[in-house]
Amino acid sequence: MEIYFPQFYFTQVDMEEFDAKPDRYGPTVIGKYTKGIGQVEARFPSDDEDPISFAMTVVHRLLERMEAKGINETGNYMPNGQPLSVWNAIGRIDIGTESIQDRSKSMKSYIMDIF
């Protein structure tokens, strides 16, 4: 399992202080994000990042880590005992997302371009 977090963030305490201003929502929002929702920080992408680049980064890191640690058991199932390369050892990839990208091509289609 691999995960990626964008590098830019703001703390939810700062967001509560901003939203608590009289010209915004007022003091009723204090604790809404930190205690109510349980968030500590909110992260956001830079201009050159999007959910597809996040997913591609995660898959690439995962495969590099598998190769570095030797996590590849395909040799147990091969007639000659030689494992497949890590890039060929993946049998299935599941990708979960909250939003649709481009509404015409799924995120998994972009990820499969790596292979």
Side-chain angles (χ1 to χ4, degrees), residues 16 23 26 34 41 55 61 98 105 113:
E16 287 174 346
D23 61 332
T34 54
E41 61 191 23
R61 284 182 185 175
E98 293 180 8
K105 194 172 186 182
D113 285 344

Side-chain angles (χ1 to χ4, degrees), residues 58-74:
V58 166
V59 169
H60 191 261
R61 284 182 185 175
L62 178 64
L63 293 175
E64 282 183 337
R65 188 166 42 124
M66 285 176 61
E67 195 167 40
K69 292 188 175 192
I71 305 171
N72 185 354
E73 297 184 9
T74 56

Side-chain angles (χ1 to χ4, degrees), residues 45-95:
S46 63
D47 292 342
D48 62 344
E49 294 179 317
D50 65 354
I52 294 170
S53 68
F54 294 170
M56 292 179 89
T57 300
V58 166
V59 169
H60 191 261
R61 284 182 185 175
L62 178 64
L63 293 175
E64 282 183 337
R65 188 166 42 124
M66 285 176 61
E67 195 167 40
K69 292 188 175 192
I71 305 171
N72 185 354
E73 297 184 9
T74 56
N76 297 339
Y77 308 103
M78 300 296 289
N80 60 2
Q82 293 292 328
L84 297 171
S85 74
V86 174
W87 296 94
N88 294 327
I90 302 297
R92 178 178 174 162
I93 293 181
D94 292 322
I95 298 173

